[in-house]
Amino acid sequence: MIISIASGKGGTGKTTVATSLALSLQSGVQLLDCDVEEPNCHLFLNPEFEKSQTVFTPVPEIDKSKCSFCRKCVDICRFNVIALAGETVLTFPELCHSCGGCMAVCPEDAITEVGREIGTVEKGRVNNIDFVYGRLRVGEAMSPPLIKKVRSYIQNDKINIIDAPPGTSCPVIAAMNHTDFVLLVTEPTPFGLHDLKLAVEAVKILNIPHGLVINRSDMGDTKVKEYAEQENIPILLNIPFDRKIAEAYSKGRAIVEQMPEWKDKFLNLYARIKKITDQGAEQR
Amino acid sequence: MKELVILSGKGGTGKTSLTAAFASLSENKVLCDADVDAADLHLLTNPDILVRTDFKGGGVAVINKDKCTQCGTCIELCRFDAVDDDFNVNEIECEGCGVCVDLCPEQAIDFPIKTCGQWFISNTRFGPMVHARLGIAEENSGKLVSLVRQEAKKLAETKGFDLIITDGPPGIGCPVIASLGGANALVIVAEPTVSGLHDMERVAQLAQHFKVPCMVCINKADLNPEKADAIEKIAREKGVKILGRIPFDPDFTKAMIQTENIVEFNKDSNTSRVIKEIWDKIMMSSAINN
């Protein structure tokens, strides 16, 4: 089972929900933080790390002694990675999407692939929870390859919880795609509603069952609730604003650690998700 | 002409609410919403759209079944697993690299350029605004960020305005990198939480990497004064100018519901006063005055 936790808007409480859900389930669970630009889950779980892996993406290196300046690599590259001026060939590896086209067309075998460092993946454990997260190198633009690397750690026999980045573009899609359920976390404000609608569109394109958590549910208006009812999106959990929760969060403490009474609510949230995905499996 | 970009690293720290408040406090400027992935500034400015233009991104592979001999070359070449066994291209997976297009022995693959968003020039009660809407699940957000910033610059030049206030995207990746190149100054909106501290450090590192001067203000500062101190300590160590502390204030949400910014909502409140002080500090900073 893979549950991804997403939201169009940043700061709605994805990390809060992801960490509290994992801590409530206690075992047979793995949390994967795919918000690689700004990973935060580890700050709440404080896992013991046992493995760190530097992640590279392949980029071209041109052997100038073999290059015949035929321009084929320049012509195939849609990302302007290779520039040729007379007999000078330059590469801009930070623009490379690692498609391998240049290497495939080079008649001289002058192109080999070397790695561009995109970040690191760290794997650890806390109590019985497995934890994996990616950390994008500062200055690196492309997060999807790193997100895919984090996802390669998914364990099929466990409940995998993915904390996705905010927004609706490629990094979010990389984190949500091919998951069994998307839990959308929003807040009942005009910004929350606007960005939720975008996220729902994205989830619909991917055709994944989804439900809603409304955080700070008593601070704002009723429009998110009305929208969810109108779109038949189940509201699986409401988390009212509580300064105690906000202060605990600021110190790096998960809700369920600060207020153990929340544990049952998160277990209930999981039970509802499981029921929805089981029903979906039956219908298929 | 100067461009000020509001960033945070972490989402939800209050970038857009502050950008909108700054819009109330400044004259002769162009507003620019560079958070093209989940643009929200228009929700506080009620823009009247004057010009609407399609944004063309890259191409996407489409296999022409009449010409395709199912030789499998495209499946073999595609590193993004975008072509399935029935020779259909999954648009979501397709990276737009065109390798299959160029190397198909039958030339059976088309590569139509996709319209993957729109950008707008609008009028608002704060003056002109340039903003955009990236299509759902689309790529090229960095390209669209660069485009709206360029158009905001053009507009400011034409109107003779000397300031652009840009609401930036969250994170430190592609759209953020596109939002800070060439900016005169960044304002980082941090929140006093372990996450806020961690993410602020990363965005400040990014600013240093690209050599853009930055300043920091702390929103919701009273939620955890110790963490607010820690943020200021890091800022001092990095030589980042400290602008001030904004208290946690439910007025931000109340104002948003009325499609107003917090200064319009209650210009005499303590929070509005603090924001005005912060704005004055920004305007007096060397980054804006050099």
Side-chain angles (χ1 to χ4, degrees), chain A residues 124-153:
Chain A
R125 277 178 78 79
V126 54
N127 304 329
N128 287 319
I129 300 169
D130 286 333
F131 179 73
V132 184
Y133 88 108
R135 201 179 175 75
L136 191 72
R137 177 179 61 82
V138 173
E140 169 60 45
M142 293 172 207
S143 58
L146 187 60
I147 291 171
K148 284 175 185 159
K149 193 69 183 182
V150 175
R151 287 191 56 162
S152 70
Y153 284 83

Side-chain angles (χ1 to χ4, degrees), chain A residues 10-11 36-40 76 78 97-98 113 135-136 138 141 168-169 177-178 194-195 198 202 243 249-250, chain B residues 9-12 37 39-40 79 93 95 97 102 133 136-138 171-174 194-195 198-199 202 205 222 224:
Chain A
V36 301
E37 293 181 38
E38 53 224 341
N40 291 143
I76 199 168
R78 303 291 194 292
H97 287 231
S98 308
E113 286 186 319
R135 201 179 175 75
L136 191 72
V138 173
T168 59
S169 66
N177 207 354
H178 310 297
H194 175 265
D195 298 349
L198 301 177
R243 203 168 163 114
Y249 171 87
S250 77
Chain B
K10 186 181 181 312
D37 200 349
D40 283 334
R79 288 192 175 176
E93 310 282 358
E95 188 78 6
C97 70
D102 288 15
R133 170 79 216 92
I136 306 285
E138 291 290 1
I172 59 161
C174 160
V194 287
S195 308
H198 173 267
D199 298 346
R202 279 167 68 78
Q205 256 179 29
D222 53 318
N224 190 331

Side-chain angles (χ1 to χ4, degrees), chain B residues 18-34:
Chain B
L18 267 183
T19 305
F22 292 160
S24 268
L25 297 166
S26 55
E27 302 285 321
N28 297 335
K29 78 285 170 185
V30 173
L31 292 178
C32 173
D33 192 347

Side-chain angles (χ1 to χ4, degrees), chain B residues 19 32 92 229 251 269 285:
Chain B
T19 305
C32 173
I92 297 273
D229 292 344
D251 273 3
S269 72
S285 69

Side-chain angles (χ1 to χ4, degrees), chain B residues 8 11 27 31 49 51-52 56 58 68 80-81 111 127 138 143-144 147 158 170 180 202 207 214 231 240 247 266 277:
Chain B
S8 67
E27 302 285 321
L31 292 178
I49 296 177
V51 188
R52 191 185 288 264
K56 304 267 192 229
C68 170
F80 307 99
D81 300 324
F111 202 52
E138 291 290 1
K143 226 173 167 175
L144 184 53
L147 179 82
T158 335
L180 56 74
R202 279 167 68 78
C214 65
I231 288 173
V240 171
N266 183 351
E277 281 169 13

Side-chain angles (χ1 to χ4, degrees), chain B residues 176-194:
Chain B
V176 179
I177 290 172
S179 73
L180 56 74
N184 299 86
L186 306 179
V187 170
I188 300 175
V189 184
E191 63 174 40
T193 63
V194 287

